[in-house]
Amino acid sequence: MLLRHIIPFALILSIFSCAEKDPNVVALSGQIINPISEEVSFVFKDTSYSAPVDESGSFTLSLKLDSATFVSFKHGIETTQMYVNPGDQISLSIDPSQYDESISYEGSAASNYLAQKYLKEEAGDFYYGPNYYMSTEEEYKSLLDEFKSSLLVELDAMKDSTFVKAEILAIDESIASMVKYQKRMSEFEMDEREYEMHKQTLTMDFNFYGLIDSLDSEVFYNRVDAYADSLELFLSKVSDQEFIKGERAWNEAVVETLRIRKKNRDNMPKEGDLAIDFTYPDTTGQDYSLSSFEGNLVYVDVWATWCGPCKAEIPSLQKLEEDYHDKSITFLSVSVDTDKEAWMKMVQDKELGGTQLWADGWSEITKDYAIFGIPRFMLFSADGKVISTDAPRPSSDKIRDLIEANL
């Protein structure tokens, strides 16, 4: 079971004082340059630990490990991979404005290796750019061989044989996957490859989903039109008419989807507005609506069984529900799974509490509340009004503050 721990400062000091006595205690500290949130998290396979970031951007945390493991360091929305051994004392520094480029570690050669590995992979354009789109299969394999060789040189200097063995296996699996993915480029003519490359670059540069909240409708729609015109310009350089026909239809559908999403986002109820009701069946087939729980605060979790971040929040959600079981708050989970049996099985296996509803895919709730990614958490008042359509996750202390302020 995934457990999440918020470590009080006094407890941190207490654990640190015992660190020399217990060889399994890991001491983690760091300096965040220009912090963008009030905490850092270390996310393990089964557990997540968090520590507060003070006014100077510093944090300290200690925890106990039985064996070496990979862990993700998180600050803000971004993460980076680390490797931690029992007894390690690791200090890191990072500037969130240059997340992966700036991070460095003292006391962890493996973590520094992982940071450099990511940058090398990114610089290689193995998924985007000319190396991916315009290379032959042989040229692409050659680039990956060079990439692997550079990593093996660094690994050769490391003493941790378990880490080295795991990394070599991971490199080989990653390269096999990349080769398989790039091989489909051989099905395209060169002008089609060039179009696909420009399309990918345009999509990343326009960054619609990052800007859908910040741009007003007119500017957003003008940006969509400019995107469509640019795609058409690149498409005009392709000779195969069937390819053009298929791409044009696809691009028109994407443009229409962007317009609809922006419209949904603009029409989404704001804080203090009456909520838009929704109705879905529970595990027994009985329908429940948001309005069924009027008189209580309602904390809504939109999730799916195939969503890793959703599942990672389950233990924190269960703990939150346990802590507020005698309060006037309803915990309402709405699954967008299309596989009803998978949903039913997880509800049973994980002993999920609250009220569990099945939306059968991206349905009304995702349209009315402009939900483009999950998990999404929302909080509604006892009289059916919006408190937040993007509420803090259960793993954040901020949700407790928000609940307490509205009970």
Side-chain angles (χ1 to χ4, degrees):
M1 177 179 291
L2 180 68
L3 300 175
R4 187 175 188 277
H5 308 275
I6 303 295
I7 309 296
F9 186 68
L11 180 57
I12 290 169
L13 292 178
S14 174
I15 297 176
F16 263 113
S17 67
C18 301
E20 292 183 359
K21 301 177 183 178
D22 190 336
N24 288 341
V25 170
V26 177
L28 300 166
S29 63
Q31 181 69 40
I32 312 295
I33 303 168
N34 302 315
I36 57 176
S37 72
E38 297 175 353
E39 68 176 26
V40 297
S41 298
F42 293 87
V43 183
F44 294 76
K45 181 180 178 181
D46 301 316
T47 308
S48 176
Y49 295 87
S50 293
V53 176
D54 67 21
E55 293 180 357
S56 69
S58 299
F59 68 87
T60 57
L61 172 67
S62 68
L63 51 94
K64 192 172 181 178
L65 286 182
D66 294 327
S67 60
T69 186
F70 289 91
V71 56
S72 292
F73 168 77
K74 181 179 180 183
H75 180 67
I77 63 172
E78 294 194 73
T79 62
T80 190
Q81 194 176 41
M82 298 173 58
Y83 186 77
V84 181
N85 288 280
D88 275 352
Q89 296 188 38
I90 302 174
S91 176
L92 68 86
S93 64
I94 187 171
D95 182 346
S97 67
Q98 303 177 48
Y99 204 92
D100 296 296
E101 292 79 6
S102 69
I103 195 163
S104 64
Y105 304 87
E106 289 184 15
S108 180
S111 296
N112 276 318
Y113 159 84
L114 291 171
Q116 292 305 309
K117 174 187 173 184
Y118 177 83
L119 293 178
K120 287 183 178 182
E121 189 170 318
E122 188 177 54
D125 278 335
F126 298 128
Y127 292 106
Y128 311 107
N131 285 343
Y132 172 76
Y133 286 101
M134 307 307 291
S135 297
T136 65
E137 186 177 351
E138 291 72 23
E139 290 169 338
Y140 187 69
K141 285 181 179 178
S142 178
L143 291 169
L144 290 173
D145 287 341
E146 292 177 15
F147 169 64
K148 178 180 177 179
S149 295
S150 70
L151 295 178
L152 291 178
V153 169
E154 294 185 33
L155 288 172
D156 191 51
M158 294 194 179
K159 299 177 181 178
D160 190 331
S161 60
T162 302
F163 174 76
V164 171
K165 183 178 180 180
E167 262 305 294
I168 292 174
L169 179 61
I171 291 168
D172 288 339
E173 290 178 346
S174 178
I175 286 177
S177 175
M178 286 188 278
V179 168
K180 180 180 179 181
Y181 188 62
Q182 195 267 350
K183 189 174 182 179
R184 73 184 185 90
M185 283 291 106
S186 63
E187 302 171 5
F188 296 112
E189 299 296 332
M190 293 304 290
D191 58 354
E192 296 166 356
R193 293 190 189 195
E194 190 168 2
Y195 163 78
E196 292 286 351
M197 181 176 67
H198 286 306
K199 178 180 177 180
Q200 177 65 41
T201 302
L202 275 172
T203 302
M204 294 175 68
D205 288 346
F206 273 86
N207 188 28
F208 287 110
Y209 298 117
L211 296 174
I212 197 167
D213 291 338
S214 59
L215 296 181
D216 65 40
S217 297
E218 183 177 357
V219 174
F220 186 86
Y221 294 144
N222 287 340
R223 192 173 177 85
V224 170
D225 289 340
Y227 173 70
D229 291 343
S230 297
L231 286 177
E232 188 61 31
L233 177 62
F234 289 122
L235 196 55
S236 68
K237 300 176 182 179
V238 176
S239 56
D240 187 298
Q241 294 302 307
E242 283 300 311
F243 181 90
I244 292 173
K245 181 180 178 181
E247 277 298 307
R248 189 167 283 153
W250 174 262
N251 293 339
E252 288 174 356
V254 168
V255 166
E256 181 62 19
T257 297
L258 288 170
R259 290 180 173 277
I260 291 172
R261 287 191 171 188
K262 179 58 176 172
K263 181 180 179 181
N264 289 344
R265 181 67 185 83
D266 290 347
N267 292 335
M268 184 173 64
K270 308 296 189 296
E271 181 181 347
D273 291 348
L274 282 174
I276 300 175
D277 206 6
F278 53 81
T279 303
Y280 296 111
D282 70 358
T283 55
T284 68
Q286 181 176 343
D287 283 344
Y288 285 94
S289 303
L290 175 63
S291 57
S292 302
F293 305 98
E294 207 163 300
N296 274 7
L297 282 181
V298 184
Y299 186 51
V300 176
D301 168 22
V302 183
W303 72 292
T305 60
W306 44 259
C307 168
C310 300
K311 291 186 287 187
E313 291 293 329
I314 288 175
S316 297
L317 181 59
Q318 290 175 319
K319 182 65 168 63
L320 193 67
E321 183 182 1
E322 177 186 342
D323 291 347
Y324 285 92
H325 74 280
D326 59 345
K327 304 294 184 181
S328 298
I329 180 171
T330 296
F331 292 86
L332 181 62
S333 294
V334 181
S335 166
V336 296
D337 278 287
T338 54
D339 186 338
K340 186 176 182 180
E341 290 186 5
W343 167 67
M344 294 275 285
K345 185 175 188 302
M346 184 168 287
V347 170
Q348 181 177 5
D349 291 349
K350 296 288 187 180
E351 299 180 348
L352 302 184
T355 301
Q356 299 289 328
L357 304 182
W358 181 57
D360 191 13
W362 299 85
S363 55
E364 287 76 14
I365 189 173
T366 59
K367 296 183 180 77
D368 291 339
Y369 290 97
I371 299 172
F372 312 132
I374 52 177
R376 169 75 77 81
F377 295 89
M378 301 185 287
L379 187 65
F380 300 94
S381 67
D383 58 353
K385 294 181 180 178
V386 172
I387 295 173
S388 175
T389 55
D390 190 13
R393 296 185 178 192
S395 57
S396 169
D397 277 353
K398 292 181 180 179
I399 185 56
R400 294 175 182 269
D401 295 337
L402 189 60
I403 289 173
E404 291 292 341
N406 289 278
L407 274 176

